């Protein structure tokens, strides 16, 4: 989806927002006064753990925005930084890519299957980009005005469908309660969405009891632990750096919601599969609890491991470091 603009900035965000108008001369005066001279031409941003590298003129391309004030009205020493010296912003790192795209040329193109419009609008409001927030609000209103119809593959046409429409398989009741057994028994040929969309059959991975999709989700992690001279007394058990999620996009988002990090595969349609998602937390039990609450059960697991002496890793001479990769397969019938 493209949100067009009648006026564009220069490539790579070199222009000034049309909203700046006559303020461009004032911006030049500020630069001449040395307000910008202390910032490097290339800036590194750490936004919620995601690193972005861009030109300074890009982040100040929209006058009176939050980033414009940070990088034109303040000194570098006044801005928070991470441990590597990058400027730090405690916001959604995945959605910031679209904020940065907008700042480059004052246009925004969103993927066809983009379920985060409301959250992106909130980010636009936080960064004080009123024109972008207004267009996102208009796009959401236009999408809400269109009826949400179910495709034959079970995906939803609308960008933000009502949860109760997903997986609708109940037969429509007949008026007056008549029809006997034929009316009380749901039939694949009588099952259709409330909006009158195409028919669904049980073979299309939706169950009629709870309106939930059946399928598989695989949880994987690479962990390590160290065993010292005193064996178990000195054992430093499982260190989990990252928990990966493999499976159908729609299932992963249903189970893990906002705890799912989609930054490595952000534009995946809901009916496609991915092996590039990971979780924002490091506790396996927390992932298992979410899967159990969503009706999944563990079907299988496998693990591989290797051992290395600690001196090779820069540790004590008598320690052994074990590393392993483990996968757990969960299914929902």
């Amino acid at each position: 989806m493209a949100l067009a603009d009648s006026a564009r900035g220069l490539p790579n965000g070199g222009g000034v927002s049309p909203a700046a108008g006559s303020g461009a001369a004032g911006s030049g005066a500020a630069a001449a006064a040395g307000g910008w001279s202390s910032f490097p031409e290339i800036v590194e941003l750490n936004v919620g753990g995601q690193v972005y590298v861009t030109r300074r003129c890009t982040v100040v391309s929209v006058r009176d925005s939050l980033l414009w004030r940070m990088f034109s009205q303040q000194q570098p020493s006044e801005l928070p930084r991470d441990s590597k010296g990058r400027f730090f912003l405690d916001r959604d790192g995945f959605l910031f890519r679209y904020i940065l795209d907008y700042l480059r040329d004052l246009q925004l193109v969103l993927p066809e299957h983009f379920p985060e419009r409301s959250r992106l609008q909130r980010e636009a409001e936080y960064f004080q980009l009123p024109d972008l927030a207004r267009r996102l609000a208009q796009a959401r209103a236009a999408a809400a005005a269109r009826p949400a119809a179910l495709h034959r593959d079970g995906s939803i046409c609308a960008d933000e469908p009502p949860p109760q429409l997903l997986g609708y398989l109940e037969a429509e009741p007949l008026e007056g309660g008549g029809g006997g057994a034929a009316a009380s028994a749901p039939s694949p040929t009588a099952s259709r969405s409330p909006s009158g969309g195409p028919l669904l059959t049980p073979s299309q991975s939706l169950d009629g009891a709870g309106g939930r999709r059946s399928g598989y989700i695989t949880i994987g992690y690479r962990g390590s632990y160290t065993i010292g001279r005193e064996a178990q007394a000195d054992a430093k058990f499982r260190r989990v750096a990252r928990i990966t999620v493999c499976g159908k996009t729609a299932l992963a988002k249903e189970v893990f919601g906002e705890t799912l990090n989609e930054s490595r595969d952000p534009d995946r349609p809901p009916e496609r599969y991915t092996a590039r998602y990971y979780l924002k937390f490091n506790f396996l039990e927390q992932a298992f609890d979410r899967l159990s609450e969503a009706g999944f059960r563990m079907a299988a697991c496998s693990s591989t491991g290797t051992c290395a002496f600690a001196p090779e890793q820069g540790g004590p001479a008598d320690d052994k470091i074990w590393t392993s990769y483990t996968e757990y397969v969960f299914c929902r019938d």
Side-chain angles (χ1 to χ4, degrees), residues 97-135:
R97 63 179 294 198
Y98 301 105
I99 298 293
L100 196 58
D101 282 347
Y102 173 78
L103 292 175
R104 288 188 175 110
D105 56 12
L106 302 184
Q107 280 195 339
L108 181 66
V109 179
L110 297 178
E112 291 297 328
H113 300 277
F114 187 74
E116 308 286 356
R117 281 186 174 84
S118 59
R119 295 177 59 192
L120 182 57
Q121 180 183 344
R122 184 178 63 188
E123 294 299 302
E125 293 168 351
Y126 174 83
F127 286 105
Q128 298 173 15
L129 301 169
D131 186 59
L132 176 59
R134 174 181 57 81
R135 295 182 193 184

Side-chain angles (χ1 to χ4, degrees), residues 57-244:
C57 58
T58 298
V59 296
V60 300
S61 60
V62 176
R63 186 177 175 85
D64 295 327
S65 66
L66 176 64
L67 292 172
W68 179 85
R69 288 200 302 274
M70 289 176 60
F71 289 91
S72 67
Q73 305 300 304
Q74 295 181 268
Q75 295 297 321
S77 59
E78 300 174 328
L79 302 180
R81 295 175 181 255
D82 65 8
S83 59
K84 296 186 177 180
R86 307 184 187 99
F87 297 107
F88 180 75
L89 294 165
D90 190 16
R91 301 301 297 179
D92 191 309
F94 162 63
L95 293 177
F96 187 76
R97 63 179 294 198
Y98 301 105
I99 298 293
L100 196 58
D101 282 347
Y102 173 78
L103 292 175
R104 288 188 175 110
D105 56 12
L106 302 184
Q107 280 195 339
L108 181 66
V109 179
L110 297 178
E112 291 297 328
H113 300 277
F114 187 74
E116 308 286 356
R117 281 186 174 84
S118 59
R119 295 177 59 192
L120 182 57
Q121 180 183 344
R122 184 178 63 188
E123 294 299 302
E125 293 168 351
Y126 174 83
F127 286 105
Q128 298 173 15
L129 301 169
D131 186 59
L132 176 59
R134 174 181 57 81
R135 295 182 193 184
L136 287 167
Q138 292 175 349
R140 290 182 59 212
R146 296 194 301 267
L150 284 171
H151 290 301
R152 292 194 63 86
D153 62 358
S155 62
I156 304 293
C157 293
D159 299 308
E160 292 180 320
Q164 64 269 21
L165 294 184
L166 187 62
Y168 183 86
L169 272 180
E170 296 295 333
E172 297 178 354
L174 299 177
E175 294 184 1
S184 60
S187 169
T189 59
S191 301
R192 79 175 54 241
S193 68
S195 61
L199 300 180
L200 295 174
T201 64
S203 63
Q204 291 174 311
S205 76
L206 298 177
D207 63 54
R212 301 184 305 183
R213 296 166 178 263
S214 61
Y216 291 83
I217 290 180
T218 300
I219 300 296
Y221 82 93
R222 192 178 304 279
S224 66
Y225 62 92
T226 303
I227 297 182
R229 182 182 305 175
E230 301 299 329
Q232 294 184 1
D234 290 341
K236 300 176 182 179
F237 285 101
R238 191 179 63 204
R239 300 173 183 174
V240 179
R242 178 175 293 179
I243 301 175
T244 60

Side-chain angles (χ1 to χ4, degrees), residues 6-37:
S6 58
R8 302 184 186 179
L10 296 177
N12 295 325
V16 178
S17 169
S22 60
S27 301
W36 295 346
S37 60

